């Protein structure tokens, strides 16, 4: 095997763990930068680590608070790597359920997806992420939010593609 094969997404179990670790480290770095940059003016939720090991507040990056109707099987929902909610200040607890919006409230939501792939698959991976979240974005718009999906595709050799 050559280095391109190894870094390019070899499905061997131990390498897959390393890929997941690199992904989570990238998300954690961005999370810390965004939280610091907004200085508490927004709530930032991240999805890193194993689902089974997360506390309840981190298992769903799209919380029930964003939806008028209860969401059934929460585990089947999309889980963006990072969600920035401008309506709720970062130092406040998110309400457990939907709260109707007032006319002038900030409705912006940023959803960030980070992905690693081999150099030749970066554009394809970015499109896959956009397609994956199309229905989620449409649903959030129907709820009155103004969501925007940001993707950051990192090449296994260090290149990046997408908007951040």
């Amino acid at each position: 095997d050559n280095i391109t094969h190894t870094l390019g997404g070899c499905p061997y179990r131990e390498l897959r763990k390393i890929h997941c670790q690199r992904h989570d480290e990238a998300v954690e770095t961005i999370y810390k930068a965004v939280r610091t940059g907004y200085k508490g003016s927004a709530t930032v939720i991240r999805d890193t680590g194993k689902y089974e090991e997360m506390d309840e507040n981190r298992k769903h990056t799209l919380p029930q608070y964003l939806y008028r109707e209860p969401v059934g099987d929460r585990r089947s929902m999309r889980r963006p790597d990072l969600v920035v909610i401008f309506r709720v200040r970062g130092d406040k607890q998110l309400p457990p359920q939907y709260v109707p919006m007032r006319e002038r409230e900030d409705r912006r939501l940023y959803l960030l997806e980070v992905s690693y792939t081999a150099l030749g698959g970066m554009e394809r991976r970015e499109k896959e992420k956009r397609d994956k979240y199309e229905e989620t974005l449409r649903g959030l718009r129907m709820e009155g939010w103004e969501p925007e999906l940001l993707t950051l595709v990192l090449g296994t050799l260090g290149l990046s593609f997408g908007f951040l």
Side-chain angles (χ1 to χ4, degrees):
D1 285 340
N2 62 31
I3 191 71
T4 304
H5 170 82
T6 302
L7 293 174
C10 176
Y12 180 65
R13 182 180 208 141
E14 291 305 310
L15 285 176
R16 180 75 182 127
K17 286 181 186 177
I18 294 169
H19 292 164
C20 290
Q21 183 180 0
R22 286 178 66 194
H23 169 272
D24 287 355
E25 287 172 0
V27 172
E28 284 294 324
T29 300
I30 295 167
Y31 169 77
K32 289 174 185 170
V34 171
R35 281 194 58 110
T36 302
Y38 282 109
K39 297 191 185 336
S41 65
T43 294
V44 184
I45 305 169
R46 71 193 181 289
D47 177 22
T48 54
K50 294 181 180 177
Y51 185 87
E52 296 76 22
E53 296 172 6
M54 290 181 192
D55 63 49
E56 284 303 313
N57 292 328
R58 289 202 32 231
K59 283 189 176 182
H60 310 290
T61 52
L62 293 173
Q64 179 62 54
Y65 162 76
L66 301 175
Y67 300 93
R68 291 181 194 130
E69 298 296 322
V71 177
D73 181 11
R74 303 285 313 216
R75 179 129 189 213
S76 68
M77 289 183 65
R78 300 285 181 226
R79 291 173 35 217
D81 293 319
L82 204 70
V83 175
V84 180
I85 305 171
F86 289 91
R87 182 180 182 203
V88 180
R89 288 184 47 85
D91 58 354
K92 294 188 177 162
Q93 180 82 18
L94 281 177
Q97 58 193 14
Y98 181 80
V99 176
M101 287 189 231
R102 293 186 292 268
E103 188 173 323
R104 295 179 187 240
E105 279 190 291
D106 199 335
R107 298 164 189 251
R108 292 175 298 157
L109 293 175
Y110 289 151
L111 285 64
L112 173 67
E113 267 294 303
V114 175
S115 184
Y116 274 94
T117 191
L119 181 60
M122 295 177 81
E123 287 185 43
R124 177 183 48 79
R125 183 61 57 93
E126 199 267 346
K127 181 179 180 338
E128 287 172 359
K129 292 293 185 180
R130 294 219 169 266
D131 291 347
K132 175 180 174 181
Y133 281 92
E134 190 174 313
E135 184 178 330
T136 301
L137 294 172
R138 187 172 27 257
L140 288 167
R141 285 185 194 104
M142 289 176 62
E143 295 288 346
W145 296 101
E146 297 171 0
E148 184 175 345
L149 177 65
L150 308 172
T151 61
L152 178 61
V153 180
L154 302 168
T156 51
L157 298 176
L159 297 174
S160 65
F161 179 86
F163 172 77
L164 181 64

